Amino acid sequence: MPYAGPDSDIVEGGDRRIVPVLARTQASMQRAECQLAEIELLTSMFPGHDELEITDQLALAELRDYVEGSASADSPPPPSTPQFFIKLKLDTAGMERMDVILTCAYPSEYPRVLPEITVRCAGLSRAQQTQIRTALNAYLMENCQGEVCVLSAVDWVKDNLQLFINNSLSAAPAPTKESSSPRPQEVFSRLWIYSHHIYNKTKRKNILEWSKELGLSGFSMPGKPGIVCVEGPHSACEEFWSRVKVLTWKKILIRHREDTPLDRQVKDSGTVEIIDSLRKFTGFEEAMFDPHGNRGNHMDLGQLYQFLNEKGCCDVFQMYFGIEGR
């Protein structure tokens, strides 16, 4: 007796391979419907532009066309997914109202997988914001896996922001007199980061903005594989890595690192000059090398090698790809 599930009209002798194809198409449509329904709910709850801002209107339009049937029945889901900001004004004990921004991006598999949510607040330190993001992701993983959860994330931030503020205040060290102990030695670092791929627009934007914020130079190459190089003070490089690695990745790691200790006796003014002299890149840029392939997500590795050679660091090419460039 041939299989004839609810997603197919397979008859005797039919191609059974149609079943998983239809199942995948149906699952993609269900996920897209959940995404669109949640965005419409959020729009009704946060009607003002100063409350909810859709940063990729084209992706939203493509999602709506896909769900509402403007596309053909067998069309693949849209290549881009919606990204948006939710802006909150929260009251905190003993402090003025805080502006809190949740940056949200839907992976294509959402809500089967969690959304990418970061929390930004000028009144909190970078370490506090990282702690909040980590705790929020843990909460969503435990309580909302497989369900739309942006509103749950908003409620969690409202309920827990004050707790993180209190913990920070209680953990703050008391002022101490200046010690005569030697200052820690400054170190210049260069990190060579490898990712299975870098496609997501929000991640690419974060990489550019964080490197600029932290005063790092280098470059990022989106596509498959994805490559990021950052260089500058050791503490800034470590902060950049701590932010990047907690995003949702299929695979990401530091392929190679270079640490150069600076002279212990150098003064602050000289430290900046020495660090700048060790840089191989001027500023930070997103580098594209003749994108090609079906999705335009593969770069010309020959051009990448030439780029690295011009910067005096072509030796890392073999570390990334296991072959010598030319």
Side-chain angles (χ1 to χ4, degrees), residues 173-189:
T176 58
K177 295 182 179 180
E178 292 187 6
S179 171
S180 59
S181 59
R183 296 171 54 192
Q185 186 173 17
E186 295 283 354
V187 175
F188 174 86
S189 293

Side-chain angles (χ1 to χ4, degrees), residues 94-252:
M95 301 179 66
E96 296 181 356
R97 301 192 85 188
M98 277 192 173
D99 291 325
V100 181
I101 299 178
L102 274 68
T103 304
C104 306
Y106 286 163
S108 60
E109 297 291 302
Y110 177 73
R112 189 176 68 84
V113 301
L114 292 178
E116 297 169 2
I117 301 179
T118 57
V119 181
R120 294 283 175 263
C121 179
L124 297 178
S125 68
R126 182 62 60 184
Q128 287 175 295
Q129 295 178 52
T130 299
Q131 292 170 359
I132 290 177
R133 182 174 65 241
T134 301
L136 172 60
N137 286 337
Y139 169 81
L140 296 178
M141 180 70 71
E142 181 177 352
N143 297 278
C144 304
Q145 188 74 34
E147 303 175 359
V148 293
C149 60
V150 173
L151 276 179
S152 296
V154 171
D155 290 338
W156 186 92
V157 170
K158 290 179 179 178
D159 293 339
N160 290 273
L161 181 66
Q162 184 65 54
L163 176 63
F164 281 90
I165 293 174
N166 293 343
N167 288 344
S168 174
L169 293 175
S170 63
T176 58
K177 295 182 179 180
E178 292 187 6
S179 171
S180 59
S181 59
R183 296 171 54 192
Q185 186 173 17
E186 295 283 354
V187 175
F188 174 86
S189 293
R190 183 177 297 112
L191 305 184
W192 295 94
I193 300 169
Y194 171 90
S195 172
H196 179 271
H197 63 264
I198 303 177
Y199 298 147
N200 185 276
K201 293 180 181 178
T202 299
K203 291 178 183 175
R204 291 165 63 181
K205 182 179 179 182
N206 285 341
I207 289 170
L208 290 170
E209 290 182 347
W210 290 342
S211 60
K212 181 178 180 180
E213 174 191 340
L214 296 168
L216 299 173
S217 49
F219 75 98
S220 65
M221 185 186 82
K224 182 179 180 182
I227 293 175
V228 180
C229 172
V230 289
E231 59 179 8
H234 175 79
S235 58
C237 288
E238 291 300 316
E239 172 63 19
F240 178 87
W241 172 239
S242 71
R243 298 185 198 180
V244 168
K245 69 180 181 181
V246 298
L247 301 178
T248 305
W249 301 95
K250 183 171 183 179
K251 178 180 181 181
I252 192 166

